[in-house]
Amino acid sequence: MSDTVETAARTAPAAVIVGIDGPSGTGKSSTSKAVAAKLGLRYLDTGAQYRAITWWMLSNGIDVDDAAAVAAAAGKPEIVSGTDPSAPTITVDGADAAGPIRTQEVTSAVSAVSAVPEIRTRLTELQRSIAAAAPHGIVVEGRDIGTTVLPDADLKIFLTASAEARAARRNGELKGKDAADLAATQAALVKRDAADSGRKTSPLAKAADAVEVDTTELTLEQVIECVVTLVEERRSRDAAQVEGSDRGTRAEHSAGAESRRSATEGTEKRSA
């Protein structure tokens, strides 16, 4: 390998897999997309996939409160996620689902569908395959990324915020007939938290080695900067470890070459 190629390999940013978990209203989506865009990574919203499969269930007359019926249909819809952070997409059986999955009807049903083990198994496999295919790394957001989907992620972050702050943010995102009063929004978030945290399969939880970031008093820009810094620090540590490993390997090769030279010289002297 030439010196130029060796230098490029050492200085190019290392691929990194980042898992960002947390409940609704903590800024996961906005933060994850912005961080991925800033660092040249792919982006995956796993919550959108659960919403997509929930929308499919509702559209096809499946009783979302019937776990057996949901489980039986878990493998039927084809879900495809585009991972460009500047324009993420999601389709179900070839149809654009980005709008339909954000309705209140889907929001009200997604926890029940997400709790079905067959749904989680199917989507976890899909999420892992997408992460593994990202050439330069990916930011994956959800509720069980660090604990279940990608337990070996290079960096795990858990975003939190007070229920009041989360409700205010969520209410600001709702439009028209989906808008609600603050108290109702907060109550819905608390109910969703309980459902997600209490389910038996892959509950919402902070991984033991995750970095917790409380976003209650932070602006979105501050949260993004915080996460970008954490990712860059992780990349720097990884690069340093690779460089140290390279130096050790080169030292071993040099020592081996010197040992071989000494042995050869000793043999030549004895022969003489």
Side-chain angles (χ1 to χ4, degrees), residues 193-265:
D193 290 348
D196 290 346
S197 301
R199 64 175 176 247
K200 293 182 179 180
T201 305
S202 302
L204 165 65
K206 174 188 171 185
D209 55 348
V211 178
E212 183 170 326
V213 178
D214 190 333
T215 70
T216 302
E217 302 295 334
L218 302 178
T219 65
L220 176 59
E221 290 71 23
Q222 289 172 325
V223 178
I224 293 169
E225 185 58 33
C226 175
V227 176
V228 165
T229 299
L230 289 170
V231 176
E232 289 180 332
E233 288 175 348
R234 177 58 197 237
R235 273 179 162 174
S236 295
R237 289 198 299 272
D238 289 347
Q241 289 174 355
V242 170
E243 179 65 21
S245 177
D246 287 346
R247 284 198 299 268
T249 300
R250 288 195 295 273
E252 289 174 2
H253 286 184
S254 297
E258 181 62 31
S259 177
R260 287 191 295 274
R261 282 196 299 272
S262 297
T264 301
E265 290 170 357

Side-chain angles (χ1 to χ4, degrees), residues 112-170:
V113 173
S114 299
V116 176
E118 288 80 0
I119 293 291
R120 301 206 73 82
T121 297
R122 191 264 169 106
L123 292 186
T124 294
E125 291 174 353
L126 176 60
Q127 291 152 15
R128 287 173 176 166
S129 68
I130 292 172
H136 303 297
I138 190 169
V139 178
V140 183
E141 62 146 309
R143 287 172 168 76
D144 65 341
I145 309 306
T147 55
T148 301
V149 180
L150 300 169
D152 296 323
D154 298 300
L155 176 64
K156 304 174 190 177
I157 296 170
F158 193 85
L159 299 185
T160 63
S162 69
E164 293 80 6
R166 291 164 51 216
R169 293 169 186 169
R170 178 60 180 158

